[in-house]
Amino acid sequence: MRYAVLGTGSVGQAIAGKLASLGHEVAVGTRDPEATLARTEPDAYGNPPFAHWLTEHGQVRLLSFADAGAFGEAVVNTTAGGASLQALEAAGRDRLSGKILVDIANPLDFSQGMPPSLSPVNTDSLGEQIQRAFPETKVVKTLNTMNAQVMVDPSRVAGQHNVFVSGDDTGAKKAVTDLLESFGWPRQDVIDLGDITTARGTEMLLPIWLRLWGSLGHADFNFHIAGARPGA
């Protein structure tokens, strides 16, 4: 299957690399491919520039958002939450129509410094905003409650732990659940929370996730819902 992964950060790299390792055709979308490849400095977290990662993943293409939107049979949004709607508009409403959009982004607001707050929050979510803006696209929120490495390798966290899916389209959630299973997530650990409004809950886990990261000093942890039953 052809996947377009929008965003070149650590989450985009982890997802794109995993998809490619599973035999999918993968393109990473960015606003300006030439500018992305020209960066030589590490990112804000000290990770090597994207060009370094790309040389180690020669089977992955780097395209503009628009070309990536046309390329992908399914799309994964890993852009920064505050830029997601703009990036998806660049990918193209018509090019995203009818496709599954796996939304991993979180609406982190850094305007008041660290730690970030959320915007929107409580009565809305980024997942809902994306679904409203792209009504012909099948948005499924998932994987946004853990770090990038755990997303694609759940065995990094010992024992049972859960991943959530939220979305209005039952078939799209099933397809995303199948994808999660291919990443190594046992089907019984995938919890279908319901429609896209339930993305409010998973997005609101981010403040405590960030505090746990600071307290534990590492990000190899995740949430476990005792007694959970599979819903996807």
Side-chain angles (χ1 to χ4, degrees), residues 157-178:
V157 177
Q160 184 183 4
H161 50 107
N162 297 100
V163 61
F164 311 103
V165 294
S166 301
D168 294 338
D169 188 283
T170 300
K173 286 190 289 186
K174 182 182 183 304
V176 171
T177 298
D178 291 342

Side-chain angles (χ1 to χ4, degrees), residues 26-195:
V26 182
V28 173
T30 187
R31 188 171 308 284
D32 184 337
E34 289 187 7
T36 296
L37 292 175
R39 297 189 189 109
T40 59
E41 298 296 321
D43 67 15
Y45 301 98
N47 299 311
F50 181 79
H52 177 78
W53 179 89
L54 192 62
T55 61
E56 297 179 346
H57 296 81
Q59 71 275 46
V60 177
R61 311 181 196 185
L62 181 67
L63 301 174
S64 68
F65 284 140
D67 288 342
F71 170 87
E73 296 172 284
V75 179
V76 185
N77 176 38
T78 73
T79 61
S84 289
L85 288 170
Q86 188 176 17
L88 291 166
E89 288 288 356
R93 186 177 305 276
D94 292 343
R95 288 183 284 270
L96 298 180
S97 180
K99 296 179 180 179
I100 294 174
L101 171 61
V102 183
D103 177 35
I104 303 178
N106 282 301
L108 298 177
D109 180 357
F110 294 90
S111 63
Q112 303 300 314
M114 293 291 289
S117 57
L118 297 175
S119 180
V121 69
N122 292 322
T123 58
D124 199 4
S125 65
L126 178 61
E128 290 171 85
Q129 289 188 341
I130 293 172
Q131 186 63 85
R132 287 197 300 271
F134 299 87
E136 303 304 317
T137 301
K138 303 167 186 176
V139 179
V140 179
K141 190 85 178 191
T142 192
L143 290 174
N144 62 306
T145 56
M146 65 199 74
N147 84 9
Q149 299 309 312
V150 175
M151 293 177 190
V152 298
D153 182 11
S155 67
R156 291 175 68 96
V157 177
Q160 184 183 4
H161 50 107
N162 297 100
V163 61
F164 311 103
V165 294
S166 301
D168 294 338
D169 188 283
T170 300
K173 286 190 289 186
K174 182 182 183 304
V176 171
T177 298
D178 291 342
L179 180 65
L180 294 172
E181 192 170 20
S182 75
F183 282 9
W185 288 94
R187 187 167 291 265
Q188 66 267 22
D189 293 341
V190 181
I191 300 178
D192 183 347
L193 294 177
D195 67 22

Side-chain angles (χ1 to χ4, degrees), residues 1-3 18-26 59 179 182:
M1 189 166 180
R2 295 194 309 276
Y3 281 91
K18 183 67 172 185
L19 288 168
S21 75
L22 293 171
H24 299 289
E25 295 182 64
V26 182
Q59 71 275 46
L179 180 65
S182 75

